[in-house]
Amino acid sequence: MFSNRDADPALERDDAWQKLDRPLRRILPRSLMGRSMLIVLIPLLVTQAIALGLFYGTYLNVVSRRLSDGVTGEISLVIAMIEHTSFGAERALILQDASSRTQLGFSFHPAETLSRHGTNHVLGPMDDDFARSIQQTLGSSYDVDWSGAPQTVRASIQLPQGVMVVMVPAKRLNIGPIWLFVVWAVSSSILLFLIAGLFMRNQVRAIRRLGHAAELFGMGRDQGPIRPQGAREVRQAAVAFNRMQARVNRFVAQRTAVLAGVSHDLRTPLTRLRLTVAMIPAFGPIRAESLKPDLADMVTDIEDMERLIGSYLSFARGEGAEDPVLTDLRGMLEDVAAATLRAGGHVLGVEGREGVEAVVRPDALRRVLTNLAENARRHGGAMRFSLREGTRNIEIAVEDNGPGLSASRRAAISELNGTSGSQDGQSGGLGLTIVRDIIHAHGGSIRLMDSPLGGLGVLLSLPK
């Protein structure tokens, strides 16, 4: 019987790849720079090897054979001419005339025989091409010496009457200095490799700078935003890191403001409770009717403290756990307006087209509108909700006719991330901070402005 592992070829391929992958990891460089340069070097070497192979395998071989065949054909023609004459003077005249016309040095040595046969293989493929051409064309014994006179090849051919010696210029068989092509290929490869290394170093430097900044930021040493450098993807990563760094810093600043505001916001109701308790007579009969106003004030202070603590907990929890869904914004505004009326608020109306929808976190956005409506109810006489739909965003405005905020106060609240939610600046809270935190989580923005009703207007902008 065979196991599933033996029967599955995919598992066998995975095992083979894992066995090959381990030694490769030991050999390959571990750094991004080394691997990038290896990615550049291997195709470059393969390309140059293919170019050299094609050059030597086709062009060089064909040209060498043609040059050898041309020289061998001229030698064959001269041999055929002298074989038809038996006079030494006429043979010498023919060789002299052939030497002047073919640029080959011919000489004939009667009654001699060759002491060796073949070639001494000095230059490689060209030696074999010339020797093969002599063998195929003449069919006689031969001796080719490439190491005799400089720039000259001595070819000795055995004839019936003697030995024909031909001095062939090396340039008639050599296609040129091959090393020039090799040097050009090697030097161009080195130059391209250095240029690629220079560009890759700049890219790796940008990635290293990004990693160093992330490491420092993780250790709490914020050095500010980094300058995007390198390729487009690396620049996008740097921009994303800067945005993340700004969001984290804003998050930390908001949470720090929460902790700083706890003591300030809770001090007022605690002080009132302490004063109320101190004013209760320590001795003597106490009538319940006389304590009712004080107890009512204490209950009110406790409710304020519960409301503040609820706001802090809501702000600290955040709204990231809720999934965004397509929500009817006009219907949500009407629900918030109805709840405000039940709480004793005065709503002038809800303006805007019905059926306007957006992908939002409904509970979080409802908390935003409820906080704004509560602020308007406590500090204004009446409020109005409006909904406007643009080409790229949806705007929700909550306006009241309360005392409002001055321009300097609105700028200070915006600069401090809205650590105060009150409109008169006298009591604390996290209304606007919660609003801003949730709206930013939706990718939107918030703006404080003067209301046409005479009070404060809060404009929320949400992307479609």
Side-chain angles (χ1 to χ4, degrees):
M1 295 182 63
F2 296 95
S3 63
N4 293 333
R5 187 179 185 87
D6 296 332
D8 193 351
L11 294 177
E12 294 179 356
R13 287 194 299 268
D14 293 340
D15 292 340
W17 171 249
Q18 290 179 0
K19 293 179 181 178
L20 181 63
D21 185 52
R22 292 190 185 96
L24 285 178
R25 289 183 179 179
R26 299 189 185 99
I27 300 174
L28 295 177
R30 296 183 179 273
S31 64
L32 177 62
M33 181 68 179
R35 295 189 178 186
S36 301
M37 296 307 300
L38 191 63
I39 293 174
V40 174
L41 179 62
I42 291 179
L44 190 61
L45 293 179
V46 172
T47 302
Q48 295 296 348
I50 293 175
L52 289 174
L54 292 176
F55 178 79
Y56 282 106
T58 56
Y59 173 76
L60 180 63
N61 194 15
V62 171
V63 173
S64 177
R65 288 200 307 268
R66 290 179 180 178
L67 292 176
S68 299
D69 292 342
V71 173
T72 305
E74 294 177 359
I75 295 175
S76 175
L77 181 61
V78 174
I79 291 176
M81 293 176 63
I82 64 174
E83 284 180 348
H84 291 82
T85 179
S86 58
F87 300 100
E90 186 177 356
R91 183 186 299 117
L93 184 60
I94 292 175
L95 294 178
Q96 182 180 2
D97 185 57
S99 298
S100 62
R101 292 178 181 273
T102 61
Q103 297 181 354
L104 303 177
F106 293 95
S107 61
F108 184 75
H109 303 276
E112 288 188 4
T113 57
L114 294 176
S115 58
R116 61 179 184 177
H117 176 79
T119 179
N120 54 6
H121 295 283
V122 175
L123 296 180
M126 289 183 295
D127 305 357
D128 298 333
D129 291 337
F130 188 43
R132 188 182 304 110
S133 180
I134 292 177
Q135 181 68 34
Q136 293 177 355
T137 304
L138 303 178
S140 303
S141 298
Y142 64 92
D143 177 35
V144 179
D145 183 13
W146 293 80
S147 59
Q151 302 298 324
T152 304
V153 180
R154 187 177 186 273
S156 302
I157 303 169
Q158 183 67 56
L159 299 178
Q161 299 87 359
V163 176
M164 171 75 76
V165 178
V166 184
M167 304 302 293
V168 182
K171 65 181 181 180
R172 293 290 304 273
L173 300 173
N174 191 358
I175 64 173
I178 304 175
W179 59 269
L180 285 178
F181 180 80
V182 177
V183 170
W184 175 82
V186 173
S187 61
S188 62
S189 300
I190 294 175
L191 179 61
L192 292 176
F193 186 73
L194 293 177
I195 294 175
L198 181 62
F199 281 98
M200 288 305 304
R201 187 183 66 175
N202 293 333
Q203 304 304 319
V204 173
R205 182 187 302 169
I207 297 176
R208 287 175 179 172
R209 185 182 296 111
L210 178 60
H212 181 66
E215 182 70 19
L216 293 179
F217 184 68
M219 293 187 297
R221 291 183 287 177
D222 186 8
Q223 294 185 342
I226 61 176
R227 185 165 62 92
Q229 290 180 337
R232 181 177 60 184
E233 290 79 5
V234 181
R235 290 174 178 267
Q236 290 177 350
V239 171
F241 172 79
N242 290 335
R243 292 176 179 173
M244 179 206 68
Q245 188 177 19
R247 287 194 296 267
V248 171
N249 288 333
R250 185 171 60 248
F251 176 84
V252 173
Q254 289 175 348
R255 268 49 184 179
T256 304
V258 169
L259 296 177
V262 167
S263 61
H264 177 271
D265 293 337
L266 295 181
R267 186 179 296 116
T268 300
L270 286 175
T271 302
R272 289 198 300 263
L273 286 173
R274 186 181 298 112
L275 292 175
T276 303
V277 172
M279 292 175 65
I280 295 177
F283 303 99
I286 301 176
R287 290 181 301 174
E289 291 79 5
S290 63
L291 292 180
K292 284 184 178 180
D294 295 330
L295 292 176
D297 293 338
M298 295 173 66
V299 170
T300 303
D301 291 336
I302 293 174
E303 291 177 351
D304 290 341
M305 294 173 63
E306 289 178 349
R307 180 181 56 80
L308 291 173
I309 293 174
S311 298
Y312 291 137
L313 292 177
S314 299
F315 181 74
R317 282 196 304 266
E319 307 295 339
E322 186 182 3
D323 295 329
V325 295
L326 188 63
T327 306
D328 183 5
L329 299 183
R330 173 61 187 267
M332 181 179 292
L333 287 177
E334 291 177 351
D335 293 341
V336 173
T340 303
L341 289 173
R342 290 194 300 269
H346 183 197
V347 179
L348 297 178
V350 179
E351 300 178 356
R353 184 177 63 85
E354 295 185 357
V356 178
E357 296 180 335
V359 178
V360 297
R361 298 181 178 92
D363 292 341
L365 187 59
R366 190 182 303 273
R367 186 188 304 277
V368 167
L369 298 176
T370 301
N371 285 348
L372 294 178
E374 179 65 17
N375 275 354
R377 185 184 68 82
R378 287 189 292 112
H379 301 284
M383 70 189 74
R384 180 176 61 192
F385 299 91
S386 60
L387 177 66
R388 293 188 294 270
E389 184 179 11
T391 56
R392 296 184 178 180
N393 57 356
I394 298 174
E395 294 182 347
I396 300 176
V398 180
E399 302 165 336
D400 61 55
N401 61 351
L405 293 175
S406 62
S408 59
R409 179 61 178 165
R410 292 199 302 267
I413 292 177
S414 300
E415 184 178 356
L416 294 175
N417 292 324
T419 57
S420 176
S422 64
Q423 295 183 2
D424 58 2
Q426 300 300 324
S427 62
L430 289 174
L432 292 181
T433 303
I434 294 176
V435 169
R436 179 174 286 102
D437 189 55
I438 296 175
I439 295 301
H440 285 173
H442 282 80
S445 61
I446 177 175
R447 185 163 61 93
L448 304 180
M449 59 184 183
D450 291 329
S451 171
L453 301 178
L456 179 65
V458 181
L459 180 64
L460 308 178
S461 179
L462 297 173
K464 280 191 173 182

